[in-house]
Amino acid sequence: MEKLIITAAICGAEVTKEHNPNVPYTVDEIAKEAEACYKAGASIIHLHVREDDGTPTQSKERFKECIDAIKERCADVIIQPSTGGAVGMSDEERLQPIYLNPEMATLDCGTCNFGGDDIFVNTENTIKYFGEKMIELNIKPEVEVFDKGMIDSAIRLNKKGYIKSPMHFNFVMGVNGGISATPFDLTFMAHSIPCDSTFTVSGIGRAEFPMAAVSIVLGGHVRVGFEDNVYTSKGKLASSNSELVEKVVRISKELGREIASPKEAREILGLKGV
Ligand code: KMH
Ligand code: ZN
């Protein structure tokens, strides 16, 4: 089986220091968390950025500051900016980090209820526009799907030329409004993607580690981090994102699967390697 690619989603756009005081906001906090995750075994940092007070932003300048600070600490880690941003942001705002020429970026492939009145909007035209931009800039999309129908949309857009093959998916499982996080659902998702695709799994909240374990066994990859979950175990807040990465490393090694370095992750995903 291929080595395991671990992605660390270190701060997201919605989680706050009220949820866990260790959620990073400042450039320095973000860079330190990224480095600790890299040292623990993460080869990809899924990156959102914040103002110093925690307000989510898609500012190209702020992304550049954070990416530079991360690269100073761990030059070879793969940085994957979010183009999802935060609920309610415009398409142009969300696209800002792709103009920094990253190797990867997320491409959200459908609209999803996010609880309460929040809707994460991704119309077909938005997805096509983002997909075309990523092809133009030679950025590998991580196709984010919150439900099975979004896989089908991605496959349709792949056939029409808006997303290149082989596709790399992230199954986000357990969001209110998206697919639930059970082994059955994950197996169903994994069997619904084209044969040449790869996938990672983001289990939300208490589903983080159970979904990680199933993905490790299925040959998929794993994403963990405060964006998805702030606990290392029931009721115990994580002291750092790296604790979550360390736990996945332990589970994976126990199950006989080695951890991919950034170089190996680039080979598995076919990245341009900037
Ligand atoms: N914060 C969510 C609205 C992504 O990074 O592409 C969107 C999100 C997905 O986190
Ligand atoms: Zn994200």
Side-chain angles (χ1 to χ4, degrees), residues 8 60 108 127 203 262 269:
K60 186 177 157 191
D108 294 275
I127 305 165
L269 298 173

Side-chain angles (χ1 to χ4, degrees), residues 25-26 50-56 62:
Y25 291 165
T26 67
R50 308 289 188 95
E51 304 292 354
D52 285 350
D53 67 0
T55 308
R62 187 66 166 188

